[in-house]
Amino acid sequence: MLRARLLRLFLSPSNPIVKPSVLARSSHRRSQRGFGLGEFRRGFSGTLVPELTTDDAASTAGADDEIERIQREFEEAKRNFDNIPEVLKEIPKMNPEGIYVNKNVRLDTIQVYGFDYDYTLAHYSENLKILIYDLAKKHLVNELKYPESCLQFEYDPKFPIRGLYYDKLNGCLLKLDFFGSIELDGCFFGRKKLSVDKIVEIYGTRHIGRDQALRLVGLMDFFCFSEACLIADIVQHFVDAKLDFDASYVYEDVNHAIQHVHKSGLLHRTILSDPHKYLVKNSQVLQFLQKLKEKGKKLFLLTNSPFYFVDGGMRFMLEDYRDGRSWRELFDVVIAQANKPSFYTSEHPFRSYDIERDTLAFTAVSRFLPNEVYYHGCLKSFLQITKWKGPEVIYFGDHLFSDLRGPSKAGWRTAAIIHELENEIQIQNDERYRTKQAQFHIIQELLGKVHATVVSTERGQAYKKLMDDLNMHRRHCRDIMRSLFNSSFGATFLTDTGQESAFAYHIHQYADVYTSKPENFMLYTPDAWLHVPCDIKIMPHHVKVPSTLFKPH
């Protein structure tokens, strides 16, 4: 729709030769299944291509005339590119702190709010990614006997994004689109970007098939930034040193090192030893929790982290705002070391945790007492004890698989906390990005016309020149848009061609709503109705064009 609106404005409607038409967005696409391990389906192109009769296809002269007309449209469009920023003022920008809705949610029916701790209630600085990377590489060298030269590696914040996949057979890091195809510039072997020809040589096609998907591992949580960067650096090191290696071992070792950093408590102790370096104080999250309590909502904390770490972090983050009162007063139930995602499917019992003695009780837990802390447990027992029903519970978490997949299947409402969302929307709102995006859409439409015109005719010099020119401008737009995001993999939620990424698919699948941080809910009243926009592609935070722009002026 954006593409069609811009075509109407820039491709000289007054010219009797040019007949731009408004494209209708396919209404069936929201219901299509996208990329999942073992689940793939191709979508249809958004460009409407006219059918050609046999006589039309055979008429070389007619095709040449059409190429000439498209060339004039392109020249007219380029002359009017400078007017794009003015037209874009009519198109609303998205709110970086907004709540974006995949499934309708009535907040007035939500009585219980549950929260993960890490990267949900707790806000961390960029220093944490460096810390995880450094601790993991030291474990690889000291415990798994990797070359000492690996200690020279440094975390590169410009390289990884969330939502990549690692191929344990071929050793490639992949960015996939919504339908499971490898992004053109989204395949790295080590730190080297692979060409399209090389991708096809390795995979046979850009599309990942069912069997190939079985050997992919998704890198979806906050640890994935350090993990993806370390995997790529290790692979590159082995390549440069001309050492034979098994790509699956690299993943297993790096993943083991990352898990060790977390489970050993080394990461937790380092953070608490210097909280100012890693944790971000935040009064708004406290205001949000207090607002919920004032409205009579029930609150619970469900985290995989140990209690001492959560307690130390919460006391640091809220110490300036709680006047010495315990943060635990905000929650009706506090559960630590919950072992998600098995929490949602196991029948593990709850254990009462003695804070003073750092011990677990042996008595059965039949009810949750105020100001107490519990360990382990399972969803089945949790619902039996609380009597809370699924649809009245909403759970906030950052990990789509560990935090949200289980609650989603159990009938809870889910809210994904994706911190990168805020920055990516700010980039999306930037005039440079919007201008190049508009130019890209116009060029894509012209390319569709060229392909439709010469589908069965001889392709002469005029055709080749026009195609080269259009493709050059399209690539230029794509490169500039990509450079505004991550320099290696581009945007987290979009591919370079404007399709949603595989990560976006998982958000769409497991998150009823998503936002950059929980306190964004303070922008809405507790009885608000959150509705899915009617004019979206897949992800509701992507730019939409109001229907008023299509009315005659």
Side-chain angles (χ1 to χ4, degrees), residues 258-300:
I258 294 285
Q259 293 301 320
H260 170 79
V261 165
H262 182 73
K263 294 180 179 179
S264 67
L266 181 60
L267 178 67
H268 299 148
R269 293 191 296 272
T270 305
I271 292 172
L272 293 182
S273 69
D274 192 2
H276 289 89
K277 184 175 181 179
Y278 302 107
L279 283 163
V280 179
K281 292 192 175 186
N282 183 11
S283 62
Q284 287 189 320
V285 70
L286 174 62
Q287 295 172 17
F288 174 49
L289 297 176
Q290 289 175 329
K291 182 178 179 180
L292 292 175
K293 294 293 287 185
E294 292 168 0
K295 293 293 184 178
K297 307 297 184 181
K298 300 292 185 181
L299 274 64
F300 69 92

Side-chain angles (χ1 to χ4, degrees), residues 25-57:
R25 177 175 294 145
S26 176
S27 62
H28 74 278
R29 188 178 173 201
R30 264 193 71 82
S31 63
Q32 287 181 327
R33 297 298 299 276
F35 174 73
L37 296 184
E39 298 175 349
F40 305 97
R41 184 172 298 170
R42 279 290 183 184
F44 295 99
S45 169
T47 303
L48 301 182
V49 180
E51 294 184 0
L52 299 178
T53 66
T54 304
D55 291 338
D56 291 332

